[in-house]
Amino acid sequence: VQLQAFGGGLVQTGASLRLSCVASGRTFSRNAVGWFRQAPGKEREFVGGIKWNNIAYITDFVKGRFTISRDNAKNTLYLQMNNLKPEDTAVYYCASGRTWPITAAVMDSWGKGTQVTVSS
């Protein structure tokens, strides 16, 4: 599976963005997929993931603001981000893997990332 993330940008505090991650290959619908982010000077962290059967998980630090979803017919993963804060500034990566729960170590494929910058 090859992944391409897009939809990032520069926004103000409180704005919304929707990231998309388009996958190539026929295994997308059978994989767990997720979003990670990496801020400058920090380690990559898990944001949320969604299983092949649409069971989703979002980490506590974005719960209530971010929603993850997928459209298997379009081979696309989404991350809807609302009420963005400066601390959400990071490069956001999508990733695909065959196991659950998701951690960075078990993901097989990674997209190149898309930059999200939230100004105060």
Side-chain angles (χ1 to χ4, degrees), residues 15-87:
S16 297
L17 280 175
R18 188 174 80 157
L19 304 184
S20 299
C21 175
V22 180
S24 63
R26 294 178 291 178
T27 61
F28 175 82
S29 64
R30 300 195 296 271
N31 285 4
V33 285
W35 291 97
F36 295 76
R37 70 185 186 185
Q38 188 167 17
K42 295 187 177 181
E43 294 189 354
R44 189 171 298 188
E45 62 182 2
F46 175 59
V47 176
I50 186 166
K51 293 176 68 174
W52 42 88
N53 58 2
N54 278 318
I55 293 176
Y57 174 81
I58 284 283
T59 53
D60 287 344
F61 54 79
V62 298
K63 190 172 291 183
R65 299 190 297 121
F66 291 12
T67 303
I68 189 169
S69 62
R70 66 190 296 168
D71 185 338
N72 287 337
K74 296 181 179 180
N75 272 14
T76 302
L77 169 70
Y78 301 101
L79 184 66
Q80 178 66 46
M81 305 185 294
N82 298 328
N83 191 22
L84 283 160
K85 304 176 180 181
E87 52 264 41

Side-chain angles (χ1 to χ4, degrees), residues 97-117:
R98 291 167 288 174
T99 62
W100 185 270
I102 286 175
T103 65
V106 303
M107 304 310 270
D108 299 321
S109 302
W110 290 84
K112 287 187 177 181
T114 184
Q115 176 71 47
V116 173
T117 303

